[in-house]
Amino acid sequence: MTVGAPLTAGIDVGNSTTEVVLGRHRTHGSGVEVVAAGQVPTRGVKGSAASLDGAAALVRRLERRVGTEVSEAAAAPLRPVTTSTAGVPEDLPSTGCLVVVAPGATPGGSGAGIGTPVLLTTTRATLPDGPLVVLVPAGTGHRAAVAGLLPLVSAGRCVAVVLGDDEAVLVSHRLGGSTVPVVDEVSAADIERLTRARIVAVEVGDSARPLHLLGDPVRLGAELRTTPDEASHVVAATDLLRDSRTGIVAAGQDDDVSRAVEPVLAGWIRLRGGAQVPFLRGHPMVRDGAVGAACAYGLPPDLTAYHVDDLWILDLAAVSDAVLARRPGVSARPVSLAALRVDRAVVDPADGLSMRLGVPVRTLSSEAAASYAGGRSTPGAGPGALVVDLGGGTVDATGPGGTVVAAGAGEQLTVSVAALAGISAAAAEWVKRGPAHRVEAPQVLLAEDGSRTFLDRPVGGELVGSLVVSGPAGLLPFHRSMAPGEWRALRLRLKVDLVGGNVARVLRTLTSDGPPADHRRPVIVVGGPAGDDEMLRVVTAALPSGTPVGRGDVAGSLGHRFAVAYGLLLAD
């Protein structure tokens, strides 16, 4: 131990986690002797008072562990990143005189029904001949609905039911054992449009299989009696429902039945230089451009303009489509985004940390410079190594040619996994990390490669059929309709497109401003997401073939997380 040297704290407050390293500068030789290190989740927004409180508390905890107080500290300027998901309406293919409706997720009955649409209130004397699809407006109530439907079901006239209220299961169970398909949560506007239709097809399918009638454009066209000129409209309608469990398709006398109630605003991106494009059209321009290609964006419903220094977006629907993963049709297109917003200013934490710790705190130039210094302390890195710091909010790449900082990293991966799997962000933090299993039986797990693992103790019956990962309290269930191999393909594609694509963009920008990357120089990956077992593969895919990529081991003992905190101690 270096006797007499002051104890210094390197404090890295990140978007997701906060790391602290306590160390002493060696009196003989160069470098820093690590005394203690620790990490906690960041409290609140990066740079907020809560985040500084959490950092100070971690310093105090480490001081108690080593029995010595720090005499100074070092930190870097803090720039928060805004990370979120959104649903962006897309330009849907024309369905002509057909209207496509996606009902609620809890239908009743099964099979398909095709008939003339009628309101429940239609008198018996005025009912048209043939099979009927009965429309029940919201507010009717399941008792009144059942009373009106039972005579029609018993007579074999009612072949499907469309409800405005969320009562499909209640109504279906009270229809005398009938398997007539019953769908619900259909808006008043859609019910009104269905009343103007010539014929309506309703289907409730098996959750594990595509829709039979509404997924077959030839059969559906025949049932709806469309003309050969309308074949492309029928194909478009079936495509919108390709991964749905339920659906409604109606045919009208003209295109009035399929006309939207109101125009939908789909958001926009403003590119640096002045061009403003629709949000989804701007996605490939951001993806293929340099860091900072976008300078502003707006999303529905309010389309508020947010000015940014950088924006990274991912079309989650495109990720699903690339691996043929199932996703619901007839809905807004899901996207995730991370933004370095202009209204989120850089925060100098020195005064706040000094007040909390009671010692001088100096602020270095940037987190990227610190991560570069810390990452190069990895054994085998060498002086020419390129350091890629995958943080919670940003990807920072630093080499001999300079530094590039881009929005989009670990937090965006978390919210993207949450959106694709339909789970909370807290669960997604565990789910995103690596392989999953499906519980085949209380003591049998099916792996992504098809192998089986037998558990020492059975799990609860409620987990059978679910995909699971190891969580903080045992097996954590997160999806019931995906197979392990399907989830693996979706997860890896997500990481390649989100993290690998962003790394490629960062390195493209870095080399455009400096010397070309030398594929013989090692690339050291540091930061929290670097601990993901699949991340080296993802980063390698973004680099020239033959580039050696390694996971950081800061100071030869701290692992991949502490590059910034340790690098802060190395700076003069």
Side-chain angles (χ1 to χ4, degrees), residues 88 266-272 274-287 292-300 303-306 308 310-314 335-337:
V88 179
W268 52 269
I269 295 173
R270 186 176 303 133
L271 301 174
R272 210 163 295 280
Q276 183 166 301
V277 296
F279 195 92
L280 291 175
R281 194 182 304 166
H283 169 255
M285 300 177 185
V286 171
R287 180 193 62 209
C295 62
Y297 72 95
L299 284 170
L303 299 181
T304 299
Y306 294 106
V308 299
D310 185 47
L311 176 70
W312 181 240
I313 57 178
L314 189 67
V335 298
S336 67
L337 64 153

Side-chain angles (χ1 to χ4, degrees), residues 375-446:
R376 288 192 303 159
S377 69
T378 297
L386 178 71
V387 176
V388 174
D389 184 1
L390 304 177
T394 62
V395 173
D396 305 349
T398 308
T403 295
V404 173
V405 178
E411 284 187 355
Q412 190 176 6
L413 181 59
T414 298
V415 300
S416 298
V417 167
L420 289 175
I423 56 178
S424 68
E429 278 288 346
W430 295 90
V431 172
K432 72 178 183 181
R433 299 181 183 185
H437 293 76
R438 184 170 65 195
V439 181
E440 295 284 277
Q443 285 188 272
V444 181
L445 298 181
L446 177 66

Side-chain angles (χ1 to χ4, degrees), residues 15 46 79-83 272 286-287 289-294 308-313 337-341 366-369 371 387-398 402-413 497-510 513 529:
N15 280 274
K46 178 178 180 178
R79 180 77 184 273
V81 176
T82 301
T83 304
R272 210 163 295 280
V286 171
R287 180 193 62 209
V291 174
V308 299
D309 291 322
D310 185 47
L311 176 70
W312 181 240
I313 57 178
L337 64 153
L340 284 166
R341 280 172 32 183
S366 69
E367 290 179 316
S371 70
V387 176
V388 174
D389 184 1
L390 304 177
T394 62
V395 173
D396 305 349
T398 308
T403 295
V404 173
V405 178
E411 284 187 355
Q412 190 176 6
L413 181 59
D497 286 1
L498 195 158
V499 182
N502 206 11
V503 169
R505 179 178 72 121
V506 169
L507 296 178
R508 186 167 59 243
T509 306
L510 182 65
D513 296 333

